[in-house]
């Protein structure tokens, strides 16, 4: 049985679910948050150490302003209402991506990270304004600025995922088989599951089914 330390999820399909069920993409984002809560709970239960959630990509700024604003309002409300409880559950929150949001949200994100920084059960990484290509270029710039040798070991220390093991398992919901600029370096040897269900319809049973399949995979890393 494979150990499972780190699950990464591309939570896709909110918009389509919202249009289908409530004629509103934003309603889909709201419903998607319920799935986030359930998956966090199950991840704790399963004693998995890291959960990385793709919340907003560097490309998602192309969306209508109204949708972008709604997404950040949802995030803000989620943090305000849930951070104390997450902290009480010994969860550490980390943001990967560039924090250049409104003053209020930046402050809230920093507060949430600082407050939970010493926690030791599950680490949740929220990929927010995250893009893998930007991350890689930034790491290369830092290496060159600090006159370090370009080695794998040095390089990964300049990524935003420094000190986080690579995901063992990547799940993308929403019936789309692509990475959309998510953790391109870190996913080099992850087991990838593309799930047909849209994110708001994804449930704990689906999650457990994937985990069960993952545990049985023979991971070769180039070996036989
Ligand atoms: C993923 O759902 C959530 C974000 C990108 C914020 P989408 O909003 O991409 O949903 P679809 O793919 O349009 O259905
Ligand atoms: C990926 O979903 C980003 C997040 C889930 C946050 P998208 O819906 O933005 O991906 P594309 O644009 O369809 O590739
Ligand atoms: Mg999408």
């Amino acid at each position: 049985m494979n150990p499972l330390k780190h699950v990464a999820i591309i939570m896709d399909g909110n918009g389509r679910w919202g249009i289908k069920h409530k004629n509103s993409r934003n309603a889909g984002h709201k419903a998607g948050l319920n799935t986030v809560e359930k998956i966090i709970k199950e991840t704790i239960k399963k004693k998995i150490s890291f959960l990385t959630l793709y919340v907003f990509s560097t490309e998602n700024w192309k969306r209508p302003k109204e949708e972008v604003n709604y997404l950040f309002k949802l995030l803000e409300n989620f943090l305000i209402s849930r951070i104390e409880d997450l902290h009480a559950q010994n969860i550490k929150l980390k943001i990967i991506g560039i924090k250049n949001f409104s003053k209020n949200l930046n402050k809230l994100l920093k507060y949430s990270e600082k407050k939970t920084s010493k926690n030791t059960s599950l680490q949740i990484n929220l990929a927010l304004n995250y893009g893998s290509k930007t991350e890689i270029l930034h790491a290369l710039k830092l290496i060159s600025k600090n006159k370090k040798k370009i080695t794998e070991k040095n390089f990964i220390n300049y990524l935003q995922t420094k000190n986080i093991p690579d995901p063992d398992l990547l799940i993308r919901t929403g019936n789309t088989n692509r990475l959309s600029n998510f953790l391109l370096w870190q996913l080099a040897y992850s087991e990838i599951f593309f799930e047909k269900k849209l994110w708001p319809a994804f449930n704990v049973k689906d999650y457990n089914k994937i985990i069960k399949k993952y545990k049985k995979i023979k991971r070769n890393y180039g070996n036989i």
Side-chain angles (χ1 to χ4, degrees), residues 93-104:
L93 207 68
K94 181 174 167 60
I95 310 303
I96 59 169
I98 301 157
K99 286 190 219 91
N100 63 352
F101 311 107
S102 68
K103 227 172 151 184
N104 266 348

Side-chain angles (χ1 to χ4, degrees), residues 10-12 54-57 60 63 172 176 178 180:
I10 302 175
M11 311 182 289
D12 194 25
Y54 205 4
V55 179
F56 194 87
S57 75
N60 287 146
R63 296 185 179 203
R172 180 177 186 139
T176 304
R178 57 179 173 246
S180 304

